[in-house]
Amino acid sequence: QAVKNPGIIEEGAGLFGRQCIVLGMDAAADREMPSGYRVVINGGRTPTELDALEWALKAESLGAGEIVINSIDADGTQDGYELNITKMISEAVNIPVVASGGAGKSEHLKDVLTEGKADAALIASMVHFGGYTVGSIKDYLNNEGVPVRLV
């Protein structure tokens, strides 16, 4: 909805505070875009004219307090997160960035939280279909030196 009506970000931040406004962004690799990634909507079926990095910066300026970046290319693959876009956005904005799309094993979380510089990551398929538990993932990350809340 924010792509179609960016003012909703500013309106929501004004009413509820920016800490309550989370921008969900789906992006796909696209060499025609300045950052190399295009914002897509409707589950990735509809490309927009928005560059992913430019949209992240604009959303932050409008009042988004957090961004969940979902790589349409990696989503559901369980082959790992798209580290390039996650790192690019994480380094460009001053709000938390949550990685989404691609988690298949605990090492993928370590990669996105360290190399990708994400503040957090979604792990849906890992716990739903991959035989992992939240506890086992946290134990792995802790043992690898990645800061994690264990309790």
Side-chain angles (χ1 to χ4, degrees):
Q1 188 61 37
V3 167
K4 295 176 183 176
N5 178 17
I8 198 171
I9 298 170
E10 196 168 31
E11 183 179 343
L15 288 170
F16 306 109
R18 69 181 305 132
Q19 79 283 355
C20 292
I21 306 303
V22 179
L23 177 74
M25 181 194 323
D26 288 340
D30 187 330
R31 291 186 199 166
E32 293 181 15
M33 302 309 289
S35 70
Y37 298 91
R38 180 182 300 273
V39 174
V40 294
I41 58 174
N42 300 325
R45 294 182 305 275
T46 307
T48 71
E49 293 305 313
L50 296 172
D51 176 79
L53 179 58
E54 291 173 9
W55 178 231
L57 292 165
K58 169 118 180 172
E60 179 184 30
S61 74
L62 290 171
E66 187 171 306
I67 296 173
V68 176
I69 178 68
N70 180 52
S71 167
I72 289 295
D73 303 309
D75 197 19
T77 66
Q78 295 188 310
D79 290 332
Y81 298 92
E82 216 295 6
L83 300 179
N84 292 327
I85 191 169
T86 306
K87 181 178 179 181
M88 181 188 319
I89 291 176
S90 293
E91 290 181 337
V93 299
N94 295 302
I95 56 178
V97 173
V98 180
S100 177
K105 55 186 180 178
S106 297
E107 291 84 350
H108 295 153
L109 276 101
K110 178 185 175 192
D111 293 344
V112 81
L113 295 170
T114 57
E115 293 173 50
K117 299 191 176 185
D119 296 286
L122 301 180
I123 56 167
S125 294
M126 286 180 65
V127 294
H128 293 299
F129 311 114
Y132 291 87
T133 65
V134 172
S136 70
I137 294 167
K138 285 183 170 192
D139 286 343
Y140 168 81
L141 292 171
N142 183 57
N143 291 335
E144 292 294 313
V146 178
V148 62
R149 191 175 342 165
L150 294 174
V151 179

